[in-house]
Amino acid sequence: MMPAIGAVGVGLLLALMVALVPNAISDLVTLVQDPVKPESSLLKPKVMIAILARNAAHSLPHYLGCIDRLDYPKERIAIWAATDHNVDNTTAMLREWLKRAQSLYHYVEWRPMEDPRSYTDEWGPKHWPPSRFNHVMKLRQAALKAARERWADYILFADSDNLLTNPQVLNLLMAENLTLVAPMLESRSLYSNFWCGITPQGYYKRTPDYQPIREWKRLGCFPVPMVHSTFLLDLRRDASRDLAFYPPHPDYSWAFDDIMVFAFSARQADVQMYLCNREHYGFLPVPLKAQQNVDDESESFIHTITEAMNLPDQPEASSGQEDQDVEHDGLAGCARHADSRCGWALNTSQLQALGIEMMPDYKDPYSGRVLTRGEIGCFLSHHSTWIQVVERGLQKILVLEDDVRFEPRFKRRLQAIMDDIDKAQLDWDLIYVGRKRMQVQQPERSVDGVNNLVEADYSYWTLGYALSQQGARKLLDAQPFTRMLPVDEFLPVMFNKHPNADYMSHFEPRDLKAFSVEPLLIYPTHYTGEPGYISDTETSTIWDDEAVATDWDRQHARKTAQQDSIRPVAQNSVTGDSPPPAARASRDEL
């Protein structure tokens, strides 16, 4: 009964207080009438970005542009930068950017070293002797130490030739909530910034897991034994305190290599490395050989830039470039973006005004559909280029579509072929540098006196081709607008190699002299079904009814699919240098 008595007593006491002291209740109880204001949002975690640059003048404008465009508060980012052993303008370029960055970013630390310009035991700037590995490991450790001392929540290591084209990369990686995670970076080959297998000595080991991840056939964040080049480390994790680049772990006794040393450190600290490919994050170049030089590296990086340029948000340098006419290697090139989407904007009356009529009975060989407006737009872009060749009196040009990837040493290899053609005095109109070979029953005939060149048989795609003024005149004289078909069907008709005799009967003469480089020098950036694949020709509307949309390429993918394997009996045989193509080579090793 005691609790009940106590409760009654409290009630009487409150009644007496109200009677004797009317304002007592207001002193005891606060009535909330205004709505409670929500708490403010948390500040973003603090991130330090570590930049190590050597002979990176060719990549720094693009690399730093990607850093500047990260969708992350700059006042929550610190920059730690070091550069040394340069033979180019890296130091001056990085210093200039850091001067501007000081007022934007939370903190900037700068460690330049002008001399020496090379390591005493290196063969050249692409060679990695033990002294270079030792120096780089010390620099990475210094950056890691600085991040810890500055109480950074994360540190992002990103090599100075890695282009982080996805502005959300920091947010996306943080959202994975992992101690050590890397974004999968793309290259023109299967090479990327991770391994799926590793030997007991810490070396690369080929496994069947690599390619499905690299080609996005498996999506997610995967535990892997090695990530390198670009990765994010969560310094808030207790286990991260045991990670180190230098000195190597006491139990480490293998190759003196910074990525292998760090991967061993992670295993010893029970920190799992992860690789994420849920999104497209950016690009990196394929490593060069030890005997190659800075010029080779600069040329190779052009391929990385061109791949990145195919994204909607391309990694532009600090100053843009206007469309301009360029002339290189004896080929005058019109550097304009040929956009097949212009066909979408044409209505039926405009098509009639241009005199465009579809070839009677034309049907796509795979889907059975008629011509699309995307295909008309593609044809118009090429046709406009042919007109410019004639009107401006250009002797020869190189035509490139905007979604191609270049093979290694593209410029030098094409120059060598053109030099051989000039020496042999070959009469030519068109030379494919990228295509899909459709006649695969027998080999194409090689050209005497010219290395790496064959007489072109039936082919698809207009990825890239050299065109002479004589060839442009022949194409224009055919007046293709009055019986239009896709441009990659029209060209084989004009060199008399199309398997459909009815199509060829509409055009006379069919005397275009067409050849193809072998092996090819460019490939598509994407094939049907791959992430990032977009077709302006297949996904469109039919030519004479803008209300009928097309998306046949998703069901009938053979036309835009990768080249099928060619039987040994039908393989082309040519003289000259024939390196394996990098665009779909099976190399994924360092």
Side-chain angles (χ1 to χ4, degrees), residues 140-148 155 157 233 235 243-245 262:
R140 292 192 186 278
Q141 184 63 32
L144 184 55
K145 180 182 178 183
R148 287 167 173 159
I155 182 169
F157 288 96
L233 175 60
L235 299 176
L243 294 174
F245 289 94
F262 189 67

Side-chain angles (χ1 to χ4, degrees), residues 207-226:
T207 72
D209 300 314
Y210 183 92
Q211 195 162 337
I213 296 174
R214 174 62 184 86
E215 294 183 334
W216 297 280
K217 293 175 182 176
R218 293 177 59 201
L219 296 176
C221 272
F222 304 95
V224 294
M226 168 71 76

Side-chain angles (χ1 to χ4, degrees), residues 12 34 66 136 179 193 206 238 257 266 308 340 357 374 422 529 578:
L12 289 172
D34 296 332
C66 289
V136 168
T179 304
N193 58 319
R206 190 179 297 275
D238 183 64
D257 181 299
S340 61
E357 291 291 339
D422 289 342
S578 298

